[in-house]
Amino acid sequence: MDIRLFLKNIDLFKDIPEEQITKLAEMTQLSNYEKGERIFYEGDHADGFFVVHSGRVKIFKLSGEGKEQILHVMEPGDPFGEVPMFAGGRYPADAETVEPSLLLFFSRKAFTDVISREPSLAMSMMASLSRRLLHLTTLIENLSLKEVPERLASYLLYLHDRDKIADIDLRISKGQLANILGTSPETLSRTLGRMSSRGIIKVLGRNIRLLDPEAMKEIATGLRFKG
Amino acid sequence: MDIRLFLKNIDLFKDIPEEQITKLAEMTQLSNYEKGERIFYEGDHADGFFVVHSGRVKIFKLSGEGKEQILHVMEPGDPFGEVPMFAGGRYPADAETVEPSLLLFFSRKAFTDVISREPSLAMSMMASLSRRLLHLTTLIENLSLKEVPERLASYLLYLHDRDKIADIDLRISKGQLANILGTSPETLSRTLGRMSSRGIIKVLGRNIRLLDPEAMKEIATGLRFKG
DNA sequence: CATCATCCTTGACTTAAATCAATAATAGAA
DNA sequence: TTCTATTATTGATTTAAGTCAAGGATGATG
């Protein structure tokens, strides 16, 4: 069956034997979400966690004035919303789809049942949580110690390196990218503009063509880019 | 023995039976550190993790220009440096004592040996990692969505609430506090000065007397504090 | 208790980036 | 396609906070 095959191939469950996969597949709840639909709010009580089957989900913080900081953009195979299962009981941030998505939900019970039989699931979960800590650590470094051009350059190089294609596909709107980088759409637009006018990139809608990777690396490491 | 008693009482090991505690105690390496001593550098390879026995340890990021952002200040009973055991293999940040400290070190092997016999240790570790994610999420919220007076107010209220005493003991230098809040010592000094001149606090060295908690709560929630 | 070094404060100035505002471009729906 | 709504750009201005610099307080140590 489709869901079993999907579960077998995601990082979190990759070391789990067939019969436990079957059990997980049986206990999964599937839900379809439209683009822009809320999955949970900060402070909601939680009794399980999600895995993205298809689509994309942003995890974000909102300020009182409505300003948004994106913490993660979750993609197919990524688990999210597990933190309250282990600590606090409530979501520490909001979650919303950024495109139509199919999500799997696992109850706390389904998870603990399998973990008691398969300790390797605990190791996978610890690895997953650790990768998230790594990611948030990098985000803090960017927000606190780097300026906007550095953050943008790091992000573009990260995507370029990850996807290994010349034209970087942002896959999200520039407004959302501004929220990931912790800046405003105006500042992002101006920074992209400056990079373009220096011949470092060419902006093609949601694609960025990297013309001068060396110059971009210099910006990313803080060898700056003034005026 | 002393170490066994200590281990039994920390969160991470609180559900572990006596004989496994004994095993952990035997496999622990103890090290004394002076104030300001490096424990590890970002990028160092890691094959185990630490627990603070006494003293205090800061975990921080450094920028190329030497600016520092503190991620955590670890206190007695807190584990740190486990992330590379599960993901990446290298420390994502630097660690240094902020006062003379006694640290315990557990090898990866000691940890995995015990976890294979005591799955509850995995649950404790997942809880610990989740609390850290919670903490970093709050830090990002502060850095990205709040201004310095709000961050400072939140931090002071957090300490006040935690210690339940009128005079808040910072326990670290104001320079270090500035690094936790992601600002400069000058800005911190000015902000404390403004709070003092409005009669909200009284600064007594490393202690802050909270005179007007209501006003402080208003600042923390962004009901601002201009000019 | 005197000395040295660290830490803190205050002032003057600079700057990166946010905000406000208006227009332009793009994409999605009918 | 055409219309509408969302998203993006550009310009003018404001602002919070950083930086530089100098003096003052504090605390550790012999």
Side-chain angles (χ1 to χ4, degrees):
Chain A
M1 197 270 194
D2 180 44
I3 295 298
R4 286 188 58 251
L5 189 61
F6 171 76
L7 293 178
K8 255 181 78 168
N9 284 301
I10 71 175
D11 269 8
L12 188 63
F13 299 129
K14 69 166 182 290
D15 297 327
I16 307 292
E18 287 286 332
E19 80 265 22
Q20 296 300 322
I21 292 280
T22 303
K23 182 170 176 181
L24 280 166
E26 283 164 2
M27 295 181 84
T28 300
Q29 296 165 45
L30 297 164
S31 319
N32 271 297
Y33 288 79
E34 296 171 17
K35 174 180 173 171
E37 203 175 338
R38 265 308 166 115
I39 301 153
F40 52 74
Y41 289 82
E42 177 174 349
D44 282 357
H45 181 268
D47 58 338
F49 71 103
F50 296 86
V51 171
V52 181
H53 180 280
S54 60
R56 217 183 311 282
V57 171
K58 67 175 176 183
I59 313 293
F60 60 102
K61 277 275 185 182
L62 277 181
S63 76
E65 294 83 40
K67 200 187 156 193
E68 172 180 321
Q69 173 65 53
I70 294 179
L71 303 175
H72 304 275
V73 177
M74 297 303 186
E75 312 222 332
D78 291 336
F80 67 96
E82 335 81 317
V83 164
M85 252 187 356
F86 305 118
R90 288 167 189 281
Y91 294 114
D94 301 79
E96 195 177 295
T97 54
V98 291
E99 45 188 83
S101 303
L102 175 61
L103 305 183
L104 314 182
F105 181 80
F106 298 90
S107 69
R108 182 206 298 260
K109 187 174 178 308
F111 179 75
T112 51
D113 277 8
V114 173
I115 225 172
S116 66
R117 269 154 233 216
E118 256 327 298
S120 73
L121 177 54
M123 292 304 289
S124 297
M125 182 55 86
M126 289 187 278
S128 173
L129 295 171
S130 295
R131 280 192 296 270
R132 292 253 283 289
L133 280 167
L134 229 48
H135 177 252
L136 292 187
T137 297
T138 305
L139 181 54
I140 290 165
E141 178 181 15
N142 286 335
L143 291 173
S144 176
L145 304 175
K146 295 181 176 179
E147 300 180 346
V148 171
E150 268 179 87
R151 291 181 220 165
L152 174 58
S154 300
Y155 187 83
L156 292 177
L157 288 171
Y158 161 77
L159 288 184
H160 185 249
D161 205 57
R162 188 171 174 75
D163 301 344
K164 308 279 187 202
I165 46 173
D167 279 19
I168 301 162
D169 182 359
L170 299 178
R171 291 169 313 181
I172 49 174
S173 72
K174 294 199 182 114
Q176 297 287 282
L177 175 56
N179 287 337
I180 288 175
L181 299 176
T183 186
S184 64
E186 294 95 325
T187 297
L188 174 60
S189 184
R190 285 184 239 273
T191 309
L192 284 170
R194 277 194 288 161
M195 288 177 173
S196 287
S197 67
R198 289 170 195 213
I200 300 168
I201 56 170
K202 192 166 168 62
V203 180
L204 310 152
R206 284 189 178 186
N207 283 48
I208 309 285
R209 181 168 301 153
L210 187 54
L211 303 173
D212 189 345
E214 287 312 311
M216 190 62 93
K217 278 174 201 157
E218 286 190 357
I219 297 170
T221 52
L223 303 176
R224 174 170 327 158
F225 183 70
K226 277 237 175 95
Chain B
M1 193 271 194
D2 181 44
I3 295 299
R4 286 187 57 251
L5 189 61
F6 171 76
L7 292 179
K8 257 182 75 169
N9 285 300
I10 70 175
D11 268 8
L12 188 62
F13 299 129
K14 69 164 182 294
D15 297 326
I16 307 291
E18 286 286 334
E19 82 264 22
Q20 294 301 322
I21 293 280
T22 302
K23 182 169 176 179
L24 280 165
E26 282 165 2
M27 296 181 85
T28 299
Q29 296 165 47
L30 297 164
S31 318
N32 272 297
Y33 289 80
E34 297 170 16
K35 175 181 171 170
E37 204 174 337
R38 264 308 166 116
I39 300 154
F40 52 73
Y41 289 83
E42 176 174 349
D44 282 358
H45 181 268
D47 57 338
F49 70 102
F50 296 86
V51 170
V52 181
H53 181 278
S54 60
R56 219 184 308 283
V57 172
K58 68 174 175 183
I59 313 293
F60 60 102
K61 277 277 185 179
L62 277 180
S63 76
E65 294 82 40
K67 199 189 158 193
E68 174 180 319
Q69 172 66 51
I70 294 179
L71 303 175
H72 304 275
V73 178
M74 297 303 185
E75 312 222 332
D78 291 336
F80 67 95
E82 335 82 317
V83 165
M85 252 186 356
F86 305 118
R90 287 166 188 283
Y91 294 114
D94 301 80
E96 195 177 295
T97 54
V98 292
E99 45 187 82
S101 304
L102 176 60
L103 305 183
L104 314 182
F105 181 80
F106 297 90
S107 68
R108 181 207 298 263
K109 188 177 176 307
F111 179 75
T112 51
D113 277 9
V114 173
I115 227 173
S116 66
R117 270 153 234 215
E118 255 330 298
S120 73
L121 178 54
M123 292 304 289
S124 298
M125 183 55 86
M126 289 186 278
S128 174
L129 294 172
S130 295
R131 280 191 296 270
R132 293 254 282 289
L133 280 167
L134 229 47
H135 177 252
L136 291 188
T137 297
T138 304
L139 181 54
I140 290 165
E141 179 181 14
N142 285 336
L143 291 173
S144 177
L145 303 176
K146 295 181 177 180
E147 299 180 349
V148 171
E150 267 180 87
R151 291 180 219 166
L152 174 58
S154 300
Y155 188 82
L156 292 177
L157 287 171
Y158 161 76
L159 288 185
H160 185 250
D161 204 57
R162 187 173 175 74
D163 301 346
K164 309 276 185 204
I165 47 173
D167 279 19
I168 301 163
D169 182 0
L170 298 178
R171 290 169 315 182
I172 49 174
S173 71
K174 296 205 182 106
Q176 297 287 283
L177 176 56
N179 286 337
I180 289 175
L181 299 177
T183 186
S184 63
E186 294 95 326
T187 296
L188 174 61
S189 183
R190 284 184 240 273
T191 309
L192 284 170
R194 276 194 286 160
M195 287 176 174
S196 288
S197 68
R198 289 169 195 214
I200 299 168
I201 57 171
K202 193 165 166 61
V203 180
L204 309 152
R206 283 190 180 187
N207 283 47
I208 310 285
R209 180 166 303 153
L210 187 53
L211 302 174
D212 188 344
E214 288 312 312
M216 191 62 92
K217 279 174 200 156
E218 284 189 359
I219 297 170
T221 51
L223 304 175
R224 171 172 329 159
F225 180 73
K226 278 239 173 97

